[in-house]
Amino acid sequence: MRTSRHAALPVALLLCLAASPVDAERYLQAEPRVFPLEGATRLRVEFPVGSMTVEGDEGTTVRALVRVDCRRHDTDECARQARRIRVDHRVSDGRLSIDVSGIRKEMTSRISVEMRLLVPRRMQSRFEMGVGNLTVSGMTADLEAELGVGELTIKGEERHFHAVAVESGVGDATIRTRSGDIRERGFIGHTAHWDDGRGASTLSAHVGVGKAEVNLR
């Protein structure tokens, strides 16, 4: 078993102050991070609270950008809270794991954290998130996405998948395909299934409470 461990890096050490020309909203934005695959063929990302956007592309590394929105609060206090946010990554058994920690629920009333990832589209991936919005697009390999509370949206091409399962513990579960929509909605435990595809990959999406939608066109 090959394991490569890397020390966690405080996000705040990379943050720079900027201002929006429209509303002068102040935010902290990290310099882009690049994670080599180091032979990994699978990816797992864990992100606690906020907003995470994943885009598949033809790259050969995983690239990440973290932005902390201070919501017009004192920037020094925002920076102190941002210092608690850490990004850790490691490679073990052919899997690259990226973990974001240090975002506590009580912080979210004063700041919001956004993470954008660019991922090799053919990489088998699993994304796990606690609370917020999770959007994934452009992936073609086996894909799993799990969100505790919030809204989960996955966009892809039908030709890459042969089976899709979308589940919502409390809320709506929807699959949109070229031949029509499959929708399950209600209060407790709904799962939408589609297995008419000719692609090589599978897709699984689960939301505990909220909305889950897979759009295959």
Side-chain angles (χ1 to χ4, degrees), residues 26-45:
R26 298 169 73 87
Y27 61 88
L28 298 170
Q29 180 169 295
E31 295 179 4
R33 297 281 308 280
V34 178
F35 302 102
L37 300 186
E38 299 182 42
T41 58
R42 295 172 291 131
L43 172 69
R44 184 192 66 83
V45 179

Side-chain angles (χ1 to χ4, degrees), residues 24-121:
E25 180 182 28
R26 298 169 73 87
Y27 61 88
L28 298 170
Q29 180 169 295
E31 295 179 4
R33 297 281 308 280
V34 178
F35 302 102
L37 300 186
E38 299 182 42
T41 58
R42 295 172 291 131
L43 172 69
R44 184 192 66 83
V45 179
E46 185 172 349
F47 183 77
V49 182
S51 177
M52 180 162 66
T53 301
V54 181
E55 298 177 33
D57 68 4
E58 297 297 329
T60 57
T61 60
V62 176
R63 287 129 289 152
L65 180 66
V66 176
R67 167 173 161 158
V68 179
D69 186 344
C70 297
R71 295 185 177 177
R72 302 178 184 273
H73 286 273
D74 179 75
T75 305
D76 291 338
E77 174 61 24
C78 181
R80 281 193 290 271
Q81 295 193 40
R83 290 189 187 98
R84 299 188 178 99
I85 303 172
R86 301 175 71 84
V87 178
D88 188 19
H89 72 289
R90 64 188 182 278
V91 176
S92 178
D93 287 336
R95 184 176 72 177
L96 169 62
S97 297
I98 299 174
D99 299 294
V100 180
S101 60
I103 308 173
R104 302 191 306 272
K105 288 184 179 180
E106 58 267 27
M107 294 168 56
T108 59
S109 63
R110 298 181 295 276
I111 68 172
S112 63
V113 182
E114 302 174 13
M115 185 174 190
R116 182 186 177 193
L117 290 169
L118 296 176
V119 176
R121 68 174 74 254

